[in-house]
């Protein structure tokens, strides 16, 4: 199969959440790699967009408004990608703010859990990592655990301490999947089920599939072919959109290379047009 000339990566993070590239560095990297479009999908914030939008416009590069919301379905954490919404929509901004408040409490609970294990990180040290008033979460805590020599790698930090069900884990206040989808729809955006292969229980996949998603992420960084087949078949059956992205995080996830998954021209242009209408 030949490499398509048009590729748009719809899933990547900047240092407004747990990526390591600034918005400008990320867009420049996309341009250097010959991508034709990008959606920045920071966790629970759209704050990078203003700077990213300016840089993209100055370089005649097409940037799609995006976000990756953390949500809960019962005990199961589910990530929802939002695209093409109105960037100034009050409901989206309010949901981002709720997540910031939720994360403040949750980070505090995780640090307290670590403290009980005699692993001391103070909040100030954690929030010093945030240059942008963006989203701080477990990968930032993991980076401090590495810096202090408690663990050697991100994986080890999650496997031993921070992952679901591990001793320092805290889920935080749940914000439901249903509410998250509704908020994206209220902003005339599209709600896409992110990396569905990470949902551990098949009963959860079955229970959430009647919800009003607009699509799922059927192409994902380093997806084996059988995964792509499974999820694209499900999307086709449901008449959902099939999106793709790398989940690029810079150095936080060095194996997720920008542009390693993408969407083609037709889908990108329809998402981009929808965004332009919503943001006029
Ligand atoms: P949080 O948003 O604070 O819940 O942290 C979620 C972030 O941590 C996401 O970007 C995940 O990709 C990352 N993450 C989750 N599990 C792991 C893991 N085992 N190793 C490395 N990163 C992980
Ligand atoms: Zn992340
Ligand atoms: Fe995610
Ligand atoms: Fe992501």
């Amino acid at each position: 199969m030949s490499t398509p000339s048009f590729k748009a990566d719809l899933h990547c993070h900047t240092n407004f959440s747990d990526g390591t590239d600034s918005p400008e560095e990320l867009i420049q990297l996309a341009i250097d790699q010959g991508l034709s479009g990008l959606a920045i999908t920071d966790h629970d914030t759209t704050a990078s967009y203003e700077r990213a939008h300016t840089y993209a416009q100055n370089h005649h590069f097409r940037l799609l408004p995006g976000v990756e919301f953390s949500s809960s379905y019962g005990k199961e954490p589910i990530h929802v990608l939002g695209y093409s919404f109105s960037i100034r929509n009050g409901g989206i901004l309010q949901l981002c703010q709720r997540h910031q408040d939720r994360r403040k409490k949750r980070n505090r609970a995780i640090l307290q859990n670590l403290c009980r294990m005699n692993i001391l990180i103070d909040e100030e040290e954690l929030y010093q990592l945030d240059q942008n008033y963006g989203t701080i979460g477990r990968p930032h805590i993991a980076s401090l655990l590495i810096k202090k020599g408690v663990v050697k790698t991100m994986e080890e930090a999650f496997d031993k301490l921070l992952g679901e069900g591990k001793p320092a884990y805290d889920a935080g206040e749940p914000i439901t999947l249903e509410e998250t989808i509704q908020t994206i729809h209220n902003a005339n955006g599209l709600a896409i089920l992110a990396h569905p292969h990470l949902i551990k229980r098949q009963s959860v996949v079955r229970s959430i599939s009647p919800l009003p998603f607009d699509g799922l992420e059927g192409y994902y960084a380093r997806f084996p072919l059988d995964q792509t087949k499974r999820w694209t078949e499900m999307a086709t059956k449901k008449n959902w959109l099939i999106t793709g992205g790398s989940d690029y995080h810079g150095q936080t996830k060095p194996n997720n290379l920008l542009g390693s998954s993408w969407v083609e021209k037709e889908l990108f242009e329809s998402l981009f047009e929808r965004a332009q209408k919503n943001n006029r």
Side-chain angles (χ1 to χ4, degrees), residues 192-216:
I192 307 290
L193 175 61
H195 41 60
H197 65 297
L198 295 180
I199 301 172
K200 288 183 201 84
R201 285 177 296 154
Q202 289 322 297
S203 59
V204 172
V205 175
R206 279 194 299 278
S207 307
I208 68 172
S209 72
L211 294 179
F213 286 106
D214 301 291
L216 59 67

Side-chain angles (χ1 to χ4, degrees), residues 18 43 70 103 106 137-139 154-155 158-159 249 253:
D18 55 357
H43 296 285
S70 314
R103 281 175 176 277
R106 179 195 191 216
R138 286 179 292 163
M154 275 279 163
E155 277 67 34
F158 277 88
D159 287 352
H249 280 70
K253 290 189 185 181

Side-chain angles (χ1 to χ4, degrees), residues 244-262:
S246 62
D247 211 0
Y248 173 78
H249 280 70
Q251 268 131 64
T252 314
K253 290 189 185 181
N255 296 323
N256 289 36
L257 300 177
L258 188 67
S260 57
S261 282
W262 66 88

